[in-house]
Structures are given as C-alpha cells and as structure tokens.
Amino acid sequence: MNFALSEEQQMIVDTVRGFVETEIYPHENEVERTGVVPRELGQEIARKCKELGFFACNFPEEVGGAGLDHLTFTLVERELGRGSMGLTVFFGRPSGILMACNDEQRERYLLPAVRGDKFDALAMTEPDAGSDVRGMKCFAKQDGDDWVVNGTKHFISHADIADFVIVFIATGEEETPRGPKKKITCFLVDRGTPGFEIRDGYNSVSHRGYKNCILTFDDCRLPSSQVLGEVHKGFDLANDWLYATRLTVAATSVGRARRAFDYALSYAAERKQFGKPIGANQGVSFKLADMITDIDAADLLTLSAAWRLDQGLPSNREIASAKLFATEMLARVTDEAIQIFGGMGLMDDLPLARFWRDARVERIWDGTSEIQRHIISRDLLRPLGA
C-alpha cells in the first residue's frame, strides 16, 4: 500500500490550491455579502481555468478533457472545496452523465460543454420527490415522435447559468415488490425551449452565490432526439451519476474542513489568555486533536473510495461511507472551530460562520445522511439474505 501522491498529482494539488487562493478567495466576501456572482467574474474564472488546462478535467482526453482518473479528480475537488461554491462552479466540471450522449448529441451538448462554450445543470429533485426519486410527478407523455412534459423541479443547482439542463422525468410506471414506481427517462432541454422556464429558487443560508432554481414545464414539447440514453432507463443513468457527485461532496467537505481547521490551529497558537496561548489548554488542544483525526479519516475514506472506482471494484458502499462521514465531520469541525474562536467565530470578519452554514446542506443534498446509511446497511445485509 502506497499512500503517497505521484509527482503529477502533487503538482495538480498545488496548482489548484494556488488557483483557489489567488482567484477565488479575494472575491468570497463580496459574494457572501451580495449573494451574487457577476457574470463577468464567472467568465473570467472559467477563462483562467481553461488556460491552466483544467476545464472539464473530469472528461476523457478523446472528447477534449484532461482525462484525470477518479482519484486525481477527487484531489482536484478537495482543493476546490476550500473556496466558495458560487465561484468554483466556474472551474468547469460538466456532468459526467453527458458521456451517454449519442453522436448527434455529442456535437450539440457534450463537446461544447467540455470546451466551456455551454454550461449544463442537472435536474432531478421535485417539491414532493427528494430522496424518493422514483416518486417524481414531473411527467412526459409520448405524442408521436415527441414527448410533452408537465411538472416542476426545484433545488436545481446553478441552473441560472446553464445553457441546457439534464432533466430526469417520469415516462411511465411499473410494478415493483414495493408497489408502483415511476419509469424514468433522461432528457436534454435547452434554455429557451417553449414551455420550459428557469426561475429563481429559494434564498439559502448555505453557499450564497451558488443559486438553486425552480424549473417549470407547461406542455413543453421535446423531440425524441432529446432523450439521453434509453427511454425508461434514466434511473440507471442517475445511479451512475450519483457515484461521482457523492464523491465530490465528500471531497469538498474535506477541503473546507481543512481550511476551517487551519484558522482554528493558528488562532489557538496565537491567542493568549491567562498568560499563555489558549492551545496550551487541554480544553482547546484536545479539540484540535479530534478535529485533525476526523479530517484525516474522512480524507482517507474519500480517496480510498475514489481508488476503488479506478480499480473497477464495487464502490457503492464505500462512496456512501465517505459521503456520510465527511459531511458529518465537516459539521463537527466547523462547529469546534467557532468554539475555539469564541464570539469572534460568529462575526463576519472571519469566514468561519460561512463555513458552518455551508456545512449544513452537505448532509442533505446528493443523498441525505439517512440515505447513505440505508445504502451502507443494505450492502452489508443483502448478502446475508436480510
């Protein structure tokens, strides 16, 4: 077992961290204050990312990406996790699910997304269908060679900057041992399609500047050429996509936790009370010990899960474990960092309160902690017939 990064991986980590520190950190306070990322700033971040050769680094070289393996790409996501998501979203990582595009769709969606000419967003969640994906109500009815779509999606991340949206829609129903469940099909929907509207979503305390949107479909007519993959097979595509997104959430949680820890460690060494640094007191030093142990454990879980993907090994449980542990670790670490700072930790002069608020959503999106525990326990018990 060799836990060392290769020379190339270490160079990538250093480059991305430097990018985040120089191109992202300086704009974070303004984005936090206004909740808005100016369009020109987003375009500038994307342009600089392309100059570095990192745009669409999660895609294979044959389609124009950098061809990073899962482990190396997870290292990239870990470093991006240090910065504001409202800004790092422009460090382009198109949805990997676009690799399912057929030849015609590759020209219209995949290749422009990899080049950075188009941005995508992915839409699954509905007001009445969160964890229960196959309970969605947004429905497409076939009409000749077209599909007519009606319904609503919400909590759709960064759809405000998307040129097209990858949407999962119910297209039928089937009987299962647990009752009727929707058959799901994935569609590619362009901004501006008649009957399709992207509206502002809700104001969130987490990740300000990283917008969530509401999508509405009102007799929206889509030709069959807009189906991504196979009709009724969208749930299989979604499961493949969720591997990557859950790993990303775990990795970004580790990056953000390390940034919060660095603040707490420096403060504990510098801040003096009763004539000595507060870090000399076990009440603080033991917190630091627990925090770094938590972070390192989450890091190793996450990188191990990414390594398993690269080896072609079963990874569903391991990715769920990484997502579960890393997101709950982030909550603990940000809370303890604030405790070490005391009242100053909650002031806008420091980013700790932002880290603390941002941490809360990580246990919800891309599969709640409860869903991750379900995946893990099911993986353990099914082989035993339970």
Side-chain angles (χ1 to χ4, degrees):
M1 300 176 72
N2 181 1
F3 292 96
L5 300 185
S6 68
E7 184 177 340
E8 180 185 8
Q9 287 172 329
Q10 188 60 57
M11 180 187 69
I12 288 172
V13 167
D14 293 341
T15 301
V16 178
R17 183 175 299 183
F19 184 93
V20 171
E21 290 176 348
T22 58
E23 304 297 337
I24 303 299
Y25 285 5
H27 304 289
E28 288 181 333
N29 287 342
E30 186 65 12
V31 171
E32 181 70 7
R33 185 183 68 82
T34 63
V36 174
V37 178
R39 182 178 180 83
E40 301 76 21
L41 176 58
Q43 292 173 338
E44 182 71 3
I45 292 170
R47 183 186 66 77
K48 291 180 177 178
C49 176
K50 292 174 191 176
E51 289 178 354
L52 282 177
F54 278 96
F55 202 94
C57 61
N58 55 322
F59 275 74
E61 292 180 351
E62 58 262 30
V63 297
L68 298 186
D69 58 25
H70 288 101
L71 177 56
T72 308
F73 180 62
T74 298
L75 292 169
V76 171
E77 291 284 21
R78 188 185 70 184
E79 297 309 313
L80 292 175
R82 292 173 172 268
S84 162
M85 285 188 70
L87 295 162
T88 59
V89 67
F90 294 98
F91 195 99
R93 293 97 77 208
S95 300
I97 200 171
L98 288 173
M99 287 301 295
C101 284
N102 60 32
D103 288 344
E104 188 269 338
Q105 291 168 344
R106 284 164 67 97
E107 296 299 322
R108 292 177 58 204
Y109 298 104
L110 171 61
L111 298 181
V114 170
R115 292 193 301 266
D117 297 336
K118 289 184 177 181
F119 270 88
D120 68 283
L122 200 146
M124 185 180 299
T125 303
E126 299 180 6
D128 295 317
S131 296
D132 181 16
V133 173
R134 295 185 71 183
M136 65 176 57
K137 296 178 181 178
C138 187
F139 198 87
K141 183 178 180 180
Q142 195 159 18
D143 181 21
D145 196 42
D146 293 344
W147 295 85
V148 180
V149 186
N150 285 282
T152 302
K153 299 287 182 181
H154 78 162
F155 292 158
I156 309 308
S157 298
H158 64 263
D160 58 310
I161 63 171
D163 298 287
F164 68 95
V165 184
I166 305 161
V167 189
F168 293 87
I169 301 171
T171 49
E173 195 169 83
E174 62 183 344
E175 288 297 327
T176 74
R178 296 187 178 184
K181 294 288 184 183
K182 301 293 174 56
K183 294 180 180 179
I184 298 171
T185 302
C186 187
F187 291 86
L188 297 163
V189 187
D190 293 304
R191 178 185 287 274
T193 299
F196 172 55
E197 183 182 5
I198 301 174
R199 296 191 283 111
D200 289 342
Y202 315 97
N203 290 326
S204 173
V205 301
S206 298
H207 298 300
R208 290 176 179 165
Y210 186 73
K211 300 292 187 179
N212 69 84
C213 297
I214 297 170
L215 313 184
T216 58
F217 298 86
D218 184 9
D219 286 336
C220 176
R221 185 171 289 270
L222 301 173
S224 293
S225 60
Q226 298 304 110
V227 172
L228 180 62
E230 298 180 47
V231 172
H232 303 324
K233 299 294 185 182
F235 193 65
D236 297 334
L237 280 178
N239 281 334
D240 290 341
W241 163 72
L242 284 171
Y243 280 162
T245 60
R246 287 170 179 165
L247 202 53
T248 288
V249 173
T252 55
S253 293
V254 171
R256 200 165 301 117
R258 287 204 186 278
R259 186 176 174 193
F261 176 79
D262 289 344
Y263 274 96
L265 180 63
S266 295
Y267 189 74
E270 297 167 2
R271 169 73 166 169
K272 291 185 177 181
Q273 291 287 277
F274 306 106
K276 61 181 180 180
I278 61 172
N281 300 307
Q282 287 184 349
V284 173
S285 64
F286 282 13
K287 289 184 188 298
L288 295 169
D290 288 341
M291 290 161 73
I292 197 61
T293 301
D294 248 4
I295 294 169
D296 286 345
D299 204 0
L300 290 172
L301 266 177
T302 302
L303 297 179
S304 173
W307 176 85
R308 289 182 66 87
L309 273 182
D310 285 330
Q311 307 310 308
L313 297 171
S315 308
N316 197 23
R317 174 174 64 83
E318 288 78 7
I319 291 173
S321 293
K323 201 270 184 186
L324 170 66
F325 188 82
T327 57
E328 299 205 342
M329 171 278 298
L330 178 60
R332 293 190 294 270
V333 167
T334 53
D335 191 74
E336 290 288 43
I338 288 174
Q339 194 68 20
I340 289 172
F341 270 85
M344 277 305 299
L346 292 169
M347 301 299 112
D348 287 340
D349 302 66
L350 296 168
L352 293 177
R354 168 163 61 87
F355 298 159
W356 183 53
R357 285 187 284 100
D358 290 350
R360 190 60 189 88
V361 74
E362 309 296 346
R363 288 177 279 162
I364 297 174
W365 60 14
D366 294 289
T368 63
S369 289
E370 290 73 23
I371 288 294
Q372 305 314 308
R373 289 185 170 96
H374 171 70
I375 292 170
I376 295 163
S377 58
R378 182 183 60 188
D379 189 83
L380 294 173
L381 291 167
R382 272 188 176 175
L384 304 178

